[in-house]
Amino acid sequence: MGETPCRVRRPCDDVRVPAEPTAVQLVLGDEELLAARAVSDAVAAARAADPDVEVRQYSAGDLVPGELAEMLSPSLFGGRRVLIVRDGQDAKKELAAAFVGYANEPDPEVTLIVTHNGGGKGKALADGLRDAGAAVVPAAKISRHRERVDFVRSEIRRLGGKCGEDAAEALIAAVGNDLRELVAACSQLVADTDGRISTDTVARYYRGRAEVSGFTVADAAMVGDVPGALEALRWAMHVGVDPVPIADALADGVRTVARVAAAGRGSAYQLAGQLGMPPWKVERAQRQARGWTPAALVDAMQVAADCNAAVKGGADDRGYALERAIMAVVAARGGGGTR
């Protein structure tokens, strides 16, 4: 079986329990949530094939080659087995070689799952299992924003729902970057709705969070929606959101539209790389830019700067300062600018 091609899944691919378990799996990466999920999925696949499957867990650092031979030997009672070996990077050289040798001719009644943190330690084991045809499930930490957006969208698809990039961005802004919290939030949203997650859905659930409320205010102001912007602002203030993030969001909204408008024509994906923004944000700014002139954007940027100074400088009524800024931004848009 040495010529079996390596099967690799991306960490954000939709994960479904396969019809048949894979004989040898290498879970590669140091993100605990993804690694635990990969192991759970493999065990579920084995149990789907045989509800009475026997599951055993080991620590690679505690095993020796002789024990490996014993754990892989046929069971006296027959039946399928799942052997989970954690922290493969800690396996001694002889043990690693034994694992690789087994992976070339695995027992069809055994599912062997080896986790490895993906670092340089024990790399020979990871490379050997990959070359032997093990199914590789990446579980590296998600550090890039783009990957985190993809993860949220994939998680909602996994749960049977649907989510666009803008909604995923809003959810990350509301919940934060922790994957476990994002998973819990995705589960709640899909369970409590029809599964079609939009920015409005996220706003309804997390309107009290500063990031969502602030950008909701800014988005409405940038398209000239005075009632929508003031309603969002008053709700945010009512639930205790600090005015500072709202002022920051308004300034960011104006700057983003100005940058995208100045970049000229082009697709969102073309401009995303040039501007260092995600495509969804460029596309939204392109829509918001309609109706704005360069002079009007200059005026709006000054309004946003004045608002920031008032809010962060301790104005007597920071809510009123934000309301005035919203009205002034919308007026700049409608008037075409005075400079």
Side-chain angles (χ1 to χ4, degrees), residues 219-231:
D219 289 344
M222 291 308 295
V223 296
D225 181 7
V226 173
L230 292 179
E231 179 185 2

Side-chain angles (χ1 to χ4, degrees), residues 156 171 184-193 195 197 201-202 205-206:
I156 288 177
L171 187 59
C186 290
S187 178
Q188 178 186 15
L189 287 173
V190 173
D192 293 349
T193 66
I197 310 303
T201 310
V202 176
Y205 277 78
Y206 297 99

